[in-house]
Amino acid sequence: MAKVADLVKRMLVGRALRSGQLHEQLLPKRIALPVFASDALSSVAYAPQEILVILSLAGVSFYAYSPWVAAAVVIVMLTVVASYRQNVHAYPSGGGDYEVATTNLGKNAGLTVASALLVDYVLTVAVSVANGVDYVGATIPFVGQHKPAVAIVIVVLLTVINLRGIRESGAAFAVPTYAFMAAVLGLIAWGGFRLLVLGEQIEAPSKHFTIEPEQTNLTAFAAAFLILRAFSTGCAALTGVEAISNGVPAFRKPKSKNAATTLLMMGLVAITMFGGIIALGLASGVKVAEPSVVAEDLLRPDGTPVGPGYYQQPIISQVADAVFGGGSLMFIVISAVTALILFLAANTAFNGFPVLGSILAQDRYLPRQLHTRGDRLAFSNGIVILAAAACLLLWGFDADVSRLLNLYIVGVFVSFTLSQTGMVIHWTRHLKTETNLRVRHQMHRSRVINFFGAVMTGLVLIVVLLTKFLVGAWIVVIAMPILFLMMKGIRHHYDNVAAELAVTEDEPTVLPARNHAIVLVSKIHKPTLRALAYARATRPSSLEAVTVGVEGEEARRLQEEWERRAIPVPLKMLDSPYREITQPILDYVKHLRRRSPRDVVTVFIPEYVVGHWWEHLLHNQSALRLKARLLFKPGVMVTSVPWQLHSSDRLKGRPEPFAPGSVRRPWHQVVKDEEEQIRTS
């Protein structure tokens, strides 16, 4: 079974990599762009549409505000991209927003950012995959009928790909991401050429439809609130921008320069696609309504509702239909690559979450296992935890994009705002000591950029909370403090353990007065004789064999054979009227400790070493229970004395498989350990 499990693991994950091969996993810019930017680029598949969906609540007339809403989103995106270019130069270690906030605003601010980002990464996976399933479900009914199950399967596939290592996942995702970029930019270019140069009209499938507004005669305040809600929803286009600042260590040298260049490329491409889709959507007359009301509120040209059988095409599909024609090759290509990029957008979170988790684990705010690299030098434990959390969300919300989207972007704008505020403090602190005029000028410029970024993202955060709180954002607002308190609790535990185990300079080295050893005996056989021989070899102060007399006749025979063999160790028989084995031994050990608290009691336990999984169920159960209980007894040492059965012979000489954390050892030490293990076995 072990061999089969190892074979399956190697087939899925691949051959283990040496620690010295970590540099081979570093990414050039052409691979880093699809790895870290897929989330931000994929947002053009839903952010423009969500702006129109929210505005449609007041009727088609409110579409006139969409260019201004889109322009505001573009301004915020430009500001955030420019701000994060300062971040990657100032903090290239990969801590990103967490490191910036912790260094400049304090540990609590850093933990707030970390909790916000962890929640946002999980939501990124859930929203992206659910949206991709929607696109596929439009053409494959089976997928549409089983959305949660299909979405979970997609998350599992993405998990396996990412467990193979960051470079392999980047290479796998590069072609689809570049295909999406080329397809959408080509769509915008050809649509713009037809409109501006050829003077042709383009018509979306829904151009002649109308929308029955849910709200009419809105007050100025209500209209402003609706526009702000559309703006906050459109700001989903900014998610993923922070991923590059968290992933700087994954870039090839010069890391900061390459990360900043990739960030700029991502920003320019995302803004072009976002603005182009909005413009072509309005020019072609796209009409979209909320999925929950589309059957009643979207009206055909004759004024009748479209009905429940109507499928509302996403905005990109409608624009592609208008520009290239429905059913054309380019229409099919654009629909396919859009669905694919939405699945791959989750990969941004699969790269950001494990790195952030590793840094938090290194700072003792998360379990240390998250800092461990797996076989392929990826942070495997973080990848698995992210996948599990995303699957729970998809299952709990039925993979419904509209419901999940209301939870989205709260966390990322919390991190944006605190990070940019921290950068302002960073530049202010460095300006106090910098004397070079040229460097001071650059610092002043950077501080202005980060200040503007902090103000803009702070305003967006307020708008998001006001407009989305009651429709789902409250869940994130509750989840973040829970994560915050959990991380504080973990750090408190690790600090307490460290303080308890710390050795002071004047720590006395007190030897135990005596070492009283006992060997547990069930019957006289080879494992018992080996345990007795080993216990005698340790030269304890006193040594005795202990058995529990459950059956009177069996205990008497054991005593007789012990005396007949003249074993030079006294045998003590413990009475057990209730046929219990563990408790009499525990009581006897406690008696020895009470009699002489300065003595150490060493318990030797003979154990079988078996070669098949099912044999574990048949042996060593009493020993396991006893060891588990003795571990909590102060002053008691437990020593297992193994006896290898013949079934374990098949495992002799077998190389030890890579365990999590083994890749952190120097390779020559790993080889030396394996050779030593083979020699001794």
Side-chain angles (χ1 to χ4, degrees):
M1 289 294 291
K3 287 184 177 180
V4 172
D6 191 56
L7 178 62
V8 172
K9 181 180 180 182
R10 290 292 158 250
M11 289 176 62
L12 293 176
V13 178
R15 180 179 56 84
L17 299 175
R18 302 179 182 182
S19 298
Q21 293 177 277
L22 183 60
H23 71 280
E24 299 175 9
Q25 298 294 301
L26 300 180
L27 304 176
K29 293 190 291 292
R30 68 180 183 277
I31 300 296
L33 181 62
V35 167
F36 292 108
S38 55
D39 180 24
L41 296 178
S42 70
S43 63
V44 301
Y46 53 84
Q49 176 170 313
E50 291 302 317
I51 292 175
L52 299 182
V53 165
I54 299 301
L55 293 176
S56 70
L57 295 174
V60 176
S61 62
F62 265 62
Y63 278 13
Y65 294 105
S66 59
W68 301 104
V69 173
V73 173
V74 168
I75 290 172
V76 175
M77 186 179 291
L78 284 171
T79 303
V80 171
V81 169
S83 300
Y84 272 90
R85 281 172 57 82
Q86 317 305 315
N87 287 35
V88 297
H89 286 297
Y91 294 90
S93 63
D97 295 342
Y98 165 69
E99 183 180 1
V100 173
T102 301
T103 304
N104 299 288
L105 300 175
K107 293 180 179 179
N108 287 338
L111 280 186
T112 302
V113 168
S115 61
L117 284 175
L118 292 175
V119 170
D120 191 72
Y121 282 136
V122 174
L123 284 166
T124 295
V125 176
V127 169
S128 300
V129 172
N131 212 351
V133 170
D134 273 348
Y135 271 81
V136 176
T139 55
I140 305 176
F142 176 83
V143 173
Q145 295 165 5
H146 303 83
K147 282 175 56 178
V150 173
I152 289 172
V153 169
I154 296 297
V155 172
V156 172
L157 290 176
L158 290 171
T159 303
V160 172
I161 294 173
N162 278 277
L163 287 174
R164 294 184 65 88
I166 186 172
R167 186 175 181 84
E168 286 204 23
S169 64
F173 298 154
V175 173
T177 304
Y178 281 119
F180 173 75
M181 292 166 56
V184 174
L185 292 175
L187 169 67
I188 294 170
W190 181 242
F193 181 78
R194 287 186 60 187
L195 283 171
L196 302 176
V197 178
L198 301 181
E200 298 178 357
Q201 295 295 318
I202 57 175
E203 294 187 358
S206 60
K207 179 176 182 178
H208 300 292
F209 288 12
T210 57
I211 296 177
E212 182 73 22
E214 292 188 19
Q215 305 290 336
T216 57
N217 300 322
L218 294 176
T219 63
F221 176 80
F225 185 84
L226 188 67
I227 294 170
L228 287 175
R229 184 180 169 191
F231 167 70
S232 67
T233 304
C235 283
L238 277 73
T239 57
V241 172
E242 81 290 345
I244 291 179
S245 69
N246 294 333
V248 176
F251 284 80
R252 284 183 179 173
K253 295 180 180 180
K255 295 179 182 290
S256 296
K257 181 181 178 181
N258 288 337
T261 303
T262 305
L263 185 59
L264 179 61
M265 292 165 55
M266 180 204 69
L268 294 176
V269 173
I271 288 169
T272 302
M273 294 196 298
F274 176 82
I277 292 298
I278 280 280
L280 288 179
L282 293 175
S284 61
V286 168
K287 305 292 190 308
V288 287
E290 280 205 76
S292 59
V293 299
V294 65
E296 296 83 17
D297 290 359
L298 193 61
L299 308 180
R300 299 183 187 276
D302 59 3
T304 60
V306 294
Y310 175 78
Y311 168 66
Q312 179 174 262
Q313 292 187 56
I315 187 171
I316 289 185
S317 297
Q318 293 203 41
V319 170
D321 188 303
V323 174
F324 296 114
S328 64
L329 177 62
M330 282 303 300
F331 174 83
I332 296 173
V333 169
I334 288 174
S335 298
V337 296
T338 301
L340 191 56
I341 191 65
L342 285 167
F343 290 137
L344 302 187
N347 193 58
T348 298
F350 273 104
N351 285 286
F353 184 99
V355 173
L356 178 59
S358 168
I359 293 170
L360 289 168
Q362 191 174 13
D363 291 344
R364 296 182 295 177
Y365 288 114
L366 286 179
R368 290 170 179 165
Q369 293 88 333
L370 291 177
H371 186 56
T372 301
R373 291 186 182 270
D375 288 354
R376 302 290 294 180
L377 301 179
F379 295 109
S380 305
N381 294 327
I383 291 172
V384 172
I385 290 174
L386 171 63
C391 288
L392 284 175
L393 267 182
L394 289 167
W395 176 73
F397 286 83
D398 292 324
D400 188 329
V401 177
S402 298
R403 294 168 63 192
L404 288 168
L405 207 58
N406 289 324
L407 282 64
Y408 209 22
I409 79 172
V410 175
V412 76
F413 273 94
V414 169
S415 65
F416 282 170
T417 304
L418 290 176
S419 172
Q420 298 314 304
T421 304
M423 287 301 296
V424 173
I425 296 174
H426 167 84
W427 297 123
T428 302
R429 185 175 68 251
H430 282 273
L431 279 168
K432 293 178 180 179
T433 57
E434 184 58 54
T435 57
N436 187 296
L437 292 179
R438 181 173 173 274
V439 176
R440 286 181 63 84
H441 174 73
Q442 292 175 343
M443 288 183 175
H444 278 295
R445 183 189 63 189
S446 297
R447 185 170 64 170
V448 170
I449 292 172
N450 287 126
F451 176 78
F452 188 62
V455 172
M456 291 293 292
T457 55
L459 291 174
V460 173
L461 176 60
I462 294 172
V463 171
V464 168
L465 289 174
L466 289 175
T467 58
K468 287 178 172 282
F469 185 82
L470 295 179
V471 291
W474 62 270
I475 297 176
V476 177
V477 174
I478 292 175
M480 285 171 48
I482 291 175
L483 265 177
F484 178 93
L485 293 175
M486 182 193 75
M487 289 190 286
K488 293 279 282 188
I490 291 173
R491 175 60 186 262
H492 181 69
H493 168 77
Y494 280 137
D495 287 347
N496 284 346
V497 171
E500 192 173 340
L501 301 181
V503 179
T504 60
E505 292 295 330
D506 55 346
E507 188 78 25
T509 305
V510 179
L511 295 176
R514 300 170 69 248
N515 177 17
H516 185 85
I518 61 177
V519 179
L520 301 186
V521 175
S522 60
K523 61 180 65 175
I524 298 177
H525 48 25
K526 292 179 181 179
T528 297
L529 297 179
R530 172 179 286 184
L532 288 168
Y534 178 67
R536 293 177 65 194
T538 62
R539 299 180 182 275
S541 304
S542 61
L543 173 64
E544 63 180 339
V546 174
T547 188
V548 179
V550 177
E551 299 291 340
E553 182 63 25
E554 185 177 340
R556 186 182 61 79
R557 286 199 301 268
L558 175 63
Q559 184 74 48
E560 291 175 354
E561 186 176 0
W562 195 274
E563 294 173 354
R564 182 177 63 81
R565 290 178 176 270
I567 297 175
V569 176
L571 175 65
K572 185 174 186 61
M573 190 79 64
L574 302 179
D575 187 35
S576 180
Y578 296 101
R579 300 162 304 283
E580 171 65 37
I581 295 176
T582 303
Q583 194 58 47
I585 295 174
L586 293 174
D587 292 340
Y588 182 64
V589 170
K590 281 195 288 186
H591 166 71
L592 294 176
R593 289 283 300 149
R594 282 197 300 267
R595 189 176 66 186
S596 183
R598 289 189 58 192
D599 288 358
V600 168
V601 177
T602 302
V603 181
F604 293 88
I605 304 177
E607 289 192 64
Y608 303 123
V609 178
V610 297
H612 301 94
W613 66 269
W614 52 268
E615 292 179 292
H616 287 284
L617 304 176
L618 306 177
H619 300 283
N620 298 329
Q621 301 307 308
S622 299
L624 286 173
R625 289 196 300 270
L626 187 59
K627 283 195 291 186
R629 299 285 297 276
L630 288 172
L631 285 175
F632 293 94
K633 304 298 180 184
V636 177
M637 313 301 164
V638 183
T639 302
S640 294
V641 184
W643 179 270
Q644 291 77 16
L645 296 175
H646 288 307
S647 64
S648 67
D649 291 345
R650 67 189 188 89
L651 302 180
K652 289 183 179 179
R654 183 181 178 185
E656 181 71 17
F658 280 95
S662 62
V663 292
R664 291 185 293 180
R665 292 182 287 166
W667 179 246
H668 65 84
Q669 185 63 44
V670 175
V671 175
K672 182 179 178 181
D673 291 347
E674 289 185 356
E675 292 175 347
E676 178 67 16
Q677 184 181 18
I678 293 172
R679 184 181 64 79
T680 55
S681 63

